[in-house]
Amino acid sequence: MKTLFLQAPSFDGFDGGAGSRYQAKREIKSFWYPTWLAQPAALVPGSRLLDAPVEELSVEESLRIAAEYELVIIHTSTPSFPTDAKFAELLKARRPEVLIGMVGAKVAVDPADSLRASTAIDFVAREEFDYTCKEIAEGRSLEEVAGVSYRLADGDVRHNPPRAPIENMDELPFVAPVYKRDLKIDRYFIGYLKHPYVSIYTGRGCRSKCTFCLWPQTVGGHRYRVRSAASVIAEAKWIKENMPEVKELMFDDDTFTDTSNLERVHDIARGLHALGWTWSCNAKANVPYESLKIMKENGLRLLLVGYESGDDQILHNIKKGLRTDIARKFTENCHKLGIQVHGTFILGLPGRPRKPSLRPSSLPRR
């Protein structure tokens, strides 16, 4: 089937610019790569990935493009779902025979209500949906496809058996060729990364059990399944050779620096250094000094770190699996080595007093 993977356009100026799709309208636009759509797009020959908010396409322009396709798969989220469903309805009115599906955490955890919200939505995909999309694009009937929920003729919703997680991550094709083919990469901007940058995943899942986190509890799971170092380096080499304007790689795994597999991180770092890459990644604030040193010596520029809170009890409440003394030592080590840290925090976590405290943060400042 002729297939379009779509980040739907905004009706009200919301930019939809993150992997989880923001509900905000901002003067400074900050867009993240639609990697969750790029991966199934890489599996479907002849498909197209369209990021309408980044392209600044109107609803009408997006409808004209989408109406050319037989299968349209929309990435959605809780804040964007109402307007995404509205777009699906407009598309159905224009081309009734089009098959419309939705993917993303919102429909993965609430498939029945998502389908009942609009008759324009023919199916939603649960779990990891890469091969779900591929099989539907190949023309398989919905009844045959694992990990899909869909509406029956009488209006009832059927949930097919779940799809098993992907174990051999190296079997997935590179997403970078899809970026080059379909996206305007100069429009993807994040303030703490060099521009233009490219964001890719080297694995999925996260062993941590943080209560607030989206992807491990909805799509990726808690087992960290990774691509081999050789696969990651091969894609980095492809980007270097085919996208020479890219100044930095960002590894967007929930925790690229998982402490159970640091030798793999070291191997990737050395391979990136050999290619001349500057790179950054997500990290938990528990990476040992020796690993930080190897990463820094091999091109690491910045770590995006989820500290969440400077209070040990609050960290315990959210099952962060981290103490502030470990986070302080990690941060000191980063500063010693010259690694930039972009720290992220959450206000209003369980246990935080309603009135703001005047005491200084327990985490070191620079």
Side-chain angles (χ1 to χ4, degrees):
M1 302 176 73
K2 188 178 180 183
T3 303
L4 177 68
F5 293 91
L6 176 67
Q7 290 270 39
S10 168
F11 285 79
D12 302 308
F14 298 139
D15 65 28
S20 53
R21 304 202 65 197
Y22 291 139
Q23 68 274 35
K25 180 177 180 180
R26 292 170 287 178
E27 292 180 1
I28 300 174
K29 294 185 177 180
S30 177
F31 291 109
W32 206 255
Y33 278 81
T35 311
W36 285 101
L37 283 180
Q39 191 65 79
L43 286 165
V44 179
S47 65
R48 178 182 177 183
L49 172 58
L50 178 63
D51 197 345
V54 172
E55 299 275 354
E56 297 184 334
L57 296 176
S58 67
V59 172
E60 178 57 32
E61 290 170 323
S62 301
L63 285 169
R64 281 201 301 267
I65 295 171
E68 299 174 1
Y69 290 82
E70 301 169 279
L71 171 62
V72 175
I73 296 175
I74 300 172
H75 183 270
T76 192
S77 67
T78 298
S80 70
F81 180 78
T83 56
D84 293 337
K86 182 178 178 181
F87 182 86
E89 290 165 358
L90 292 173
L91 180 57
K92 276 283 188 182
R94 181 166 300 202
R95 185 174 180 180
E97 69 274 18
V98 67
L99 187 66
I100 300 177
M102 285 192 174
V103 297
K106 187 268 188 288
V107 296
V109 301
D110 191 17
D113 286 343
S114 298
L115 286 164
R116 294 187 184 110
S118 175
T119 56
I121 306 169
D122 296 301
F123 69 90
V124 300
R126 312 184 314 271
E127 297 94 36
E128 285 181 321
F129 48 78
D130 312 270
Y131 286 98
T132 302
C133 296
K134 178 179 184 291
E135 291 172 9
I136 294 171
E138 290 171 342
R140 297 195 193 186
S141 66
L142 295 178
E143 292 88 347
E144 302 176 70
V145 180
V148 72
S149 298
Y150 58 98
R151 190 184 306 96
L152 300 173
D154 62 5
D156 286 345
V157 172
R158 173 173 290 176
H159 305 287
N160 286 358
R163 181 171 292 275
I166 301 168
E167 298 298 338
N168 179 11
M169 297 298 293
D170 281 2
E171 73 186 25
L172 292 170
F174 298 163
V175 296
V178 176
Y179 292 167
K180 179 176 174 60
R181 183 192 70 197
D182 291 342
L183 302 180
K184 297 177 180 177
I185 69 166
D186 63 315
R187 297 195 178 186
Y188 293 87
F189 174 82
I190 296 292
Y192 50 80
L193 296 177
K194 290 181 177 292
H195 182 264
Y197 76 99
V198 159
S199 168
I200 61 175
Y201 285 87
T202 78
R204 291 181 185 166
C206 179
R207 293 192 302 150
S208 298
K209 302 295 174 63
C210 307
T211 58
F212 58 85
C213 195
L214 176 66
W215 298 115
Q217 299 180 122
T218 57
V219 177
H222 287 291
R223 284 192 305 108
Y224 186 35
R225 295 154 289 124
V226 299
R227 296 165 57 185
S228 66
S231 170
V232 177
I233 294 165
E235 185 163 15
K237 184 174 185 291
W238 191 96
I239 297 168
K240 178 69 72 172
E241 293 173 349
N242 294 276
M243 305 170 73
E245 70 274 27
V246 175
K247 294 181 180 177
E248 180 166 23
L249 295 181
M250 171 65 186
F251 298 115
D252 203 30
D253 306 36
D254 290 292
T255 311
F256 177 78
T257 57
D258 187 281
T259 53
S260 69
N261 207 357
L262 285 174
E263 283 303 319
R264 170 181 170 272
V265 176
H266 301 165
D267 290 343
I268 291 172
R270 293 183 180 110
L272 294 172
H273 179 66
L275 292 170
W277 273 115
T278 296
W279 58 281
S280 297
C281 68
N282 290 329
K284 195 169 183 176
N286 64 351
V287 184
Y289 179 87
E290 294 75 15
S291 291
L292 291 172
K293 186 172 185 292
I294 292 170
M295 294 159 67
K296 174 61 179 177
E297 289 173 347
N298 288 281
L300 174 69
R301 186 185 65 84
L302 174 142
L303 294 177
L304 177 58
V305 182
Y307 292 104
E308 323 313 348
S309 174
D311 185 290
D312 279 312
Q313 183 58 51
I314 292 176
L315 292 177
H316 176 75
N317 294 345
I318 63 174
K319 301 182 180 179
K320 181 67 180 177
L322 187 71
R323 299 195 312 267
T324 56
D325 61 326
I326 295 172
R328 284 196 297 270
K329 184 63 177 176
F330 161 86
T331 308
E332 290 168 3
N333 288 337
C334 288
H335 292 168
K336 287 178 185 177
L337 291 166
I339 299 170
Q340 293 188 49
V341 175
H342 180 87
T344 63
F345 297 82
I346 301 175
L347 302 179
L349 289 168
R352 181 180 175 87
R354 288 186 176 273
K355 292 185 178 180
S357 172
L358 296 179
R359 62 189 176 97
S361 169
S362 63
L363 291 175
R365 295 181 179 181
R366 190 181 185 188

